[in-house]
C-alpha cells in the first residue's frame, strides 16, 4: 500500500482539499485557516463526508505564524496545499498576497519533507499570473531538487454551457513527485 503522507493545507477554508486528502485514507492532514467559522465548517464537512475518523488537526491560526512555528519545531510535510486570498484580516495581522506570499513560500521550503509528494499553489487574484505562481512554487520546492517531479500549471475556469462565456476562477501551479 502507498506510504502515509503528512499534508499541510493552508488557507483551508471549508475543507475541500483537506477532505480530498483524507478520502485517500493515506494522509494525515493539518488543516489551517484564520477564520474559526471556516474551520468549524470544514470539520462539519468531514463529518458529513464520513471522514471524521481520519487523522486531521483543525487549526485556527495565521498561516505565517503557524509555518514559522512548524519550521522551528522541525515539522515536515510531504504535501502542501496553498490557496491564499489576495487580502485578509486576522486577529493580529493583515494578509496581503503581494507582500506575504514570497515570505511564506520561503518558510514552506523549510517544512517541505526531503521526500515530498506534491505542492499545489493557486491564486484568484488577477495580479498574480501563473508565471508569478511558478516562481513561488520553485521557491517552495527548491530543496526537493533531488526528487524527480513534474510541474503543471494553468488557468481554472468555470465552463459555460450553451455557448456562454467561460468564467475565469484563477490560476494554479502544481509540482508532483514522479517521472519527468
Amino acid at each position: 500500500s502507498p506510504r502515509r503522507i503528512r499534508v499541510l493545507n493552508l488557507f483551508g477554508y471549508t475543507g475541500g482539499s483537506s477532505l480530498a486528502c483524507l478520502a485517500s485514507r493515506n494522509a494525515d492532514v493539518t488543516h489551517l485557516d484564520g477564520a474559526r467559522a471556516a474551520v468549524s465548517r470544514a470539520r462539519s464537512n468531514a463529518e458529513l463526508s464520513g471522514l471524521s475518523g481520519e487523522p486531521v488537526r483543525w487549526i485556527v491560526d495565521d498561516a505565517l505564524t503557524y509555518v514559522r512555528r512548524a519550521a522551528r519545531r522541525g515539522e515536515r510535510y510531504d504535501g502542501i496545499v496553498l490557496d491564499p486570498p489576495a487580502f485578509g484580516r486576522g486577529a493580529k495581522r493583515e494578509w496581503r498576497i503581494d507582500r506575504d506570499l514570497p515570505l511564506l513560500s520561503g518558510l514552506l521550503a523549510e517544512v517541505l519533507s526531503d521526500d515530498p509528494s506534491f505542492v499545489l499553489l493557486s491564486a484568484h487574484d488577477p495580479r498574480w499570473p501563473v508565471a508569478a505562481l511558478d516562481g513561488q512554487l520553485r521557491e517552495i520546492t527548491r530543496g526537493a531538487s533531488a526528487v524527480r517531479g513534474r510541474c503543471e500549471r494553468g488557468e481554472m475556469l468555470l465552463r459555460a454551457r450553451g455557448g456562454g462565456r467561460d468564467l475565469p476562477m484563477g490560476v494554479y501551479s502544481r509540482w508532483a513527485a514522479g517521472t519527468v
Side-chain angles (χ1 to χ4, degrees), residues 65-78:
T65 301
Y66 177 82
V67 175
R68 276 189 188 110
R69 256 193 333 265
R72 277 195 310 269
R73 291 189 300 244
E75 291 185 30
R76 297 293 176 262
Y77 294 93
D78 307 302

Side-chain angles (χ1 to χ4, degrees), residues 5 9 22 25 51 53 72 85 88 98 109 113 118 129 132 141 151 164 174:
I5 63 170
N9 183 10
L22 291 172
R25 309 285 195 224
L51 298 169
R72 277 195 310 269
D98 54 336
S113 78
F118 70 90
T141 59
C151 291
R174 177 178 72 178

Side-chain angles (χ1 to χ4, degrees), residues 33-35 60-63 87-96:
D33 197 277
V60 178
D61 201 352
D62 172 75
F87 175 82
R89 289 191 200 279
K92 297 179 182 174
R93 65 183 309 275
E94 193 175 83
W95 167 270
R96 291 186 183 278

Side-chain angles (χ1 to χ4, degrees), residues 28-143:
D28 298 339
V29 175
T30 298
H31 174 100
L32 183 135
D33 197 277
R36 188 170 308 283
V39 173
S40 178
R41 178 57 57 107
R43 185 184 303 228
S44 175
N45 287 340
E47 290 171 14
L48 292 169
S49 300
L51 298 169
S52 59
E54 292 300 311
V56 61
R57 294 172 53 206
W58 305 107
I59 299 175
V60 178
D61 201 352
D62 172 75
L64 279 166
T65 301
Y66 177 82
V67 175
R68 276 189 188 110
R69 256 193 333 265
R72 277 195 310 269
R73 291 189 300 244
E75 291 185 30
R76 297 293 176 262
Y77 294 93
D78 307 302
I80 296 173
V81 178
L82 182 61
D83 185 25
F87 175 82
R89 289 191 200 279
K92 297 179 182 174
R93 65 183 309 275
E94 193 175 83
W95 167 270
R96 291 186 183 278
I97 193 170
D98 54 336
R99 177 191 67 203
D100 297 325
L101 183 57
L103 175 58
L104 183 58
S105 295
L107 291 167
L108 286 170
E110 296 178 35
V111 300
L112 187 64
S113 78
D114 293 335
D115 188 20
S117 293
F118 70 90
V119 176
L120 173 61
L121 175 56
S122 59
H124 308 276
D125 183 335
R127 294 172 297 176
W128 275 82
V130 74
L133 283 188
D134 284 348
Q136 298 307 303
L137 185 67
R138 280 191 300 279
E139 174 65 19
I140 295 167
T141 59
R142 71 178 187 256

